[in-house]
Amino acid sequence: WKADIESAKRKYKDSGCELNDNYEIIKNGQVVKTIRKMTKEEIDLAVRRVSRIVKIGMFMDRYPSELSGGQQQRVAIARTLAPEPTVLFMDEPLSNLDAKLRLEMRSELQRLHIDTGSTFVYVTHDQMEAMTLATKICLIDNGVLNQYDRPLQVYNRPNNLFVADFVGNPAINFMEAKGVQNANGNIALEILKNIKATFIPRENLDIARWIKQQEIEEESKRQTEFEKQKDKKNVEKGNKDSRFRYHIAKVDEDGILEEEKVITYHDFVIGIRPEFIKISEHGSLTGEIYSAMPTGMETTVKIRIGNFLLTGVVFGGVLYKIGQTVKLDFDGKGILLFSRKNGNLISQGALNVE
């Protein structure tokens, strides 16, 4: 191969050109770049290829003004895919499509991402698109990065209350709790006003050490902000960091504000995904079916316990009547324990009702 390189250098030198160390052709001190125009056949092949991907082949003889909004959006996607870019930025590309076509396009985009090897930066407010398409999700609230992780990690182990609330359909159930850690590492809690429960962490947890670490981080953050304020060149952020206000579903939400209480690190928020609510004859809690929405393969139910509403998902063709009394438990070790003071995740574990 060395002989071939020397031969190529002599060839280019004879024509007034040189070959540099990067094997680029140099003429008059400039890198020679020759752009080959595509033939009509190649252009037609590329156009037909992307038109099949976005399913607009039957509209190829129409002008843009003769297309609907969804069809125009598909044309825009096709134009982007045609040059086979190495990096592709998409901002809500499927927003104008109907539900069925949106699902098909998600599948096509996922396949394209694998086939082309391109990097896709995809902006969306549709969490289903984020969960199904992304290899990693970047969740931003008010200009602040809250989590950057794999989709299932974001779903199963969210960093804070905002991430837990944003991801998941139906939405996660939140309930406030207060308690202390026992000598065995479990946390004795009071939930739903007067129900005793025990949170059993999946991993070893020392609440006192966790609280100490949070206080150190908060003090460090305050010191950093103080130093920034002393700097005359510092430009203050326009979007202020604010605590996320989680929602607790209740039957009667009269909008009356309760008296603000002092929140400490012994105040918690329990997060329970709908799939962890198990309805059975031997459940520890008694509730009433507030609503039931069967979709075929699953039924979404809202269960009333006192004035609180919990949303659960029951798989299979199970029918429930509104007003029906049911027993339930919190099943699994994926129950989430958050700090009510700063909203951060403390631990995952099981929640047993006494």
Side-chain angles (χ1 to χ4, degrees):
W1 60 271
K2 289 183 179 180
D4 292 338
I5 291 175
E6 291 299 326
S7 175
K9 285 183 177 180
R10 286 194 299 270
K11 176 182 177 182
Y12 288 119
K13 190 173 183 180
D14 294 340
S15 61
C17 301
E18 294 181 354
L19 199 66
N20 67 9
D21 294 336
N22 295 325
Y23 309 112
E24 295 171 325
I25 303 172
I26 307 296
K27 187 172 185 178
N28 299 327
Q30 299 290 329
V31 177
V32 177
K33 294 183 178 180
T34 302
I35 301 175
R36 183 181 71 84
K37 292 186 177 181
M38 297 178 69
T39 64
K40 290 184 178 180
E41 291 77 11
E42 290 174 321
I43 294 174
D44 183 66
L45 185 64
V47 169
R48 292 183 182 279
R49 175 179 61 84
V50 294
S51 67
R52 285 195 300 270
I53 291 172
V54 297
K55 296 179 173 56
I56 55 171
M58 67 289 293
F59 308 125
M60 297 290 286
D61 57 344
R62 296 188 186 180
Y63 289 102
S65 59
E66 297 176 322
L67 300 174
S68 66
Q71 291 165 353
Q72 290 179 17
Q73 190 132 349
R74 280 185 273 170
V75 171
I77 295 173
R79 291 177 65 185
T80 307
L81 295 174
E84 300 181 0
T86 55
V87 179
L88 195 62
F89 185 88
M90 294 186 174
D91 188 1
E92 305 264 11
L94 310 182
S95 58
N96 290 340
L97 306 183
D98 60 73
K100 184 178 179 181
L101 184 57
R102 191 182 302 124
L103 184 62
E104 293 177 0
M105 283 303 302
R106 283 180 199 157
S107 176
E108 292 295 337
L109 288 174
Q110 188 181 53
R111 185 185 59 79
L112 278 170
H113 180 241
I114 300 299
D115 291 348
T116 63
S118 302
T119 299
F120 283 21
V121 180
Y122 195 102
V123 180
T124 180
H125 287 84
D126 187 331
Q127 56 168 284
M128 190 62 67
E129 284 183 12
M131 291 293 294
T132 54
L133 290 178
T135 53
K136 280 194 175 182
I137 294 177
C138 177
L139 266 170
I140 299 174
D141 179 36
N142 199 25
V144 178
L145 176 64
N146 281 253
Q147 190 160 354
Y148 178 59
D149 220 325
R150 297 185 303 276
L152 289 181
Q153 185 73 1
V154 171
Y155 182 83
N156 294 321
R157 197 177 179 85
N159 283 351
N160 52 44
L161 289 168
F162 165 74
V163 177
D165 180 74
F166 184 84
V167 177
N169 187 22
I172 192 171
N173 298 287
F174 288 132
M175 61 177 72
E176 294 175 349
K178 191 177 184 68
V180 294
Q181 189 171 31
N182 301 327
N184 58 7
N186 299 334
I187 302 174
L189 299 171
E190 183 176 305
I191 61 174
L192 302 174
K193 289 296 185 183
N194 56 4
I195 297 175
K196 303 293 183 181
T198 301
F199 180 82
I200 306 171
R202 179 185 290 183
E203 302 170 351
N204 291 334
L205 173 66
D206 185 340
I207 283 288
R209 182 181 297 177
W210 186 88
I211 293 173
K212 185 67 175 177
Q213 182 63 33
Q214 298 300 302
E215 290 174 342
I216 291 172
E217 291 178 4
E218 288 178 7
E219 180 61 28
S220 175
K221 186 176 180 179
R222 280 194 294 268
Q223 288 294 331
T224 302
E225 290 297 323
F226 180 71
E227 293 298 326
K228 285 182 178 179
Q229 290 174 7
K230 290 195 301 184
D231 185 1
K232 294 181 179 180
K233 296 181 180 179
N234 178 59
V235 178
E236 190 176 359
K237 270 180 58 175
N239 52 333
K240 300 291 185 180
D241 298 347
S242 58
R243 183 188 300 173
F244 173 72
R245 294 190 176 185
Y246 54 88
H247 175 70
I248 296 178
K250 295 182 180 180
V251 176
D252 300 319
E253 299 187 31
D254 50 20
I256 299 176
L257 295 176
E258 297 181 359
E259 183 181 350
E260 187 69 23
K261 299 179 181 178
V262 177
I263 299 174
T264 69
Y265 278 114
H266 293 290
D267 292 290
F268 306 102
V269 178
I270 304 293
I272 305 173
R273 295 289 183 193
E275 61 266 27
F276 293 138
I277 293 180
K278 181 181 179 181
I279 298 176
S280 65
E281 296 179 358
H282 308 291
S284 303
L285 285 172
T286 302
E288 176 186 306
I289 298 295
Y290 188 77
S291 68
M293 296 170 284
T295 60
M297 65 177 180
E298 64 184 35
T299 299
T300 301
V301 294
K302 288 187 180 293
I303 306 169
R304 176 176 182 171
I305 301 176
N307 193 40
F308 296 92
L309 287 175
L310 298 178
T311 301
V313 175
V314 180
F315 297 96
V318 184
L319 295 177
Y320 294 97
K321 294 181 179 179
I322 295 177
Q324 177 183 344
T325 300
V326 293
K327 297 279 189 177
L328 65 130
D329 278 314
F330 305 125
D331 187 34
K333 297 181 179 180
I335 311 298
L336 303 168
L337 181 71
F338 299 93
S339 168
R340 189 179 171 192
K341 186 174 177 64
N342 60 15
N344 291 340
L345 177 68
I346 300 174
S347 180
Q348 283 180 303
L351 185 65
N352 296 338
V353 178
E354 297 178 7

